[in-house]
Amino acid sequence: MQILETPRLILRELRTDDADALALVLSDAETMRFYPAPFDRTRVEQWIARQIHRYAENGHGLWAVILKSNDELVGDCGLTIQNVEGQNEIEIGYHVRRDQWGQGLATEAARACRDLGFARLPVERIISLIRPENLPSRRVAEKNGMTVWKEVPWHDLPHLVYAIRREQALGK
Ligand SMILES: CC(C)(COP(=O)(O)OP(=O)(O)OC[C@H]1O[C@@H](n2cnc3c(N)ncnc32)[C@H](O)[C@@H]1OP(=O)(O)O)[C@@H](O)C(=O)NCCC(=O)NCCS
């Protein structure tokens, strides 16, 4: 099911048959350097299953990012619920295949997800949780209009909570 369209991208729900294409993103050691380890095939399949569960449960999750020019899956991006210090927050997350970095694709997808989130969900704030050393991801959050709200331990590691409020997102 298609969720969003931007100038260069389609965001659609992930499917089980996306595992090969998504493994090229999530099994890459450099892409996953801020994670405990790159994903093996089982983890990629579990990742997809988790998003499919989220679509059913919450109406959103991480979606497949498809390049319109050639129909290729080049990443994921979307909206998930994360519990930060006891409070549920809507988070924008993103991963882009390494050969596609630096063209603004993550920013294009993330902005569309931000606008969809504020349009569809009754939230006052949307966040991104990012390791302080993950400078490319921080830059995407900044280009998405977010600023650092606070730092929290997250899965046992320090993370910056980037945030944008609804009124700030208007007109961005
Ligand atoms: C983060 C990620 C999704 C960005 O994807 P992308 O499509 O290349 O992002 P964009 O092109 O929209 O923007 C990247 C920005 O980071 C900047 N950047 C890249 N490497 C950088 C570095 N080492 N230091 C500082 N900035 C850096 C780019 O210059 C660009 O900013 P600019 O437009 O101001 O020049 C991609 O690097 C990725 O998949 N990383 C691994 C997964 C990950 O960490 N995801 C986030 C988890 S919180």
Side-chain angles (χ1 to χ4, degrees), residues 25 30-35 91 93-97 100-108 129-131 134-140 143 159:
V25 184
E30 198 180 335
T31 301
M32 300 303 276
R33 68 194 184 284
F34 299 110
Y35 287 73
E91 194 212 9
Y94 30 75
H95 303 88
V96 168
R97 206 175 68 200
Q100 299 290 331
W101 287 358
Q103 305 174 66
L105 296 178
T107 303
E108 190 168 317
L129 281 157
I130 304 176
R131 296 265 303 273
N134 190 346
L135 297 180
S137 182
R138 291 179 62 171
R139 184 75 194 115
V140 172
K143 290 192 289 178
H159 277 72

Side-chain angles (χ1 to χ4, degrees), residues 31-148:
T31 301
M32 300 303 276
R33 68 194 184 284
F34 299 110
Y35 287 73
F39 286 4
D40 62 16
R41 177 71 184 202
T42 305
R43 284 282 280 133
V44 173
E45 288 172 4
Q46 287 170 346
W47 186 259
I48 292 174
R50 194 150 133 226
Q51 307 319 318
I52 292 170
H53 179 74
R54 282 175 160 147
Y55 306 150
E57 188 97 331
N58 309 318
H60 52 77
L62 293 174
W63 296 299
V65 174
I66 310 292
L67 265 188
K68 281 191 216 175
S69 59
N70 60 9
D71 258 353
E72 265 188 56
L73 185 157
V74 294
D76 65 21
C77 183
L79 301 166
T80 60
I81 301 171
Q82 304 292 349
N83 191 283
V84 180
E85 296 187 308
Q87 187 159 348
N88 278 349
E89 304 281 349
I90 296 292
E91 194 212 9
I92 300 178
Y94 30 75
H95 303 88
V96 168
R97 206 175 68 200
R98 186 151 55 96
D99 64 296
Q100 299 290 331
W101 287 358
Q103 305 174 66
L105 296 178
T107 303
E108 190 168 317
R111 282 184 180 145
C113 288
R114 175 199 70 197
D115 291 345
L116 184 77
F118 282 124
R120 283 224 199 135
L121 304 170
V123 292
E124 283 312 310
R125 173 175 61 228
I126 294 182
I127 67 161
S128 284
L129 281 157
I130 304 176
R131 296 265 303 273
E133 53 274 57
N134 190 346
L135 297 180
S137 182
R138 291 179 62 171
R139 184 75 194 115
V140 172
E142 286 160 9
K143 290 192 289 178
N144 201 12
M146 294 182 168
T147 51
V148 176

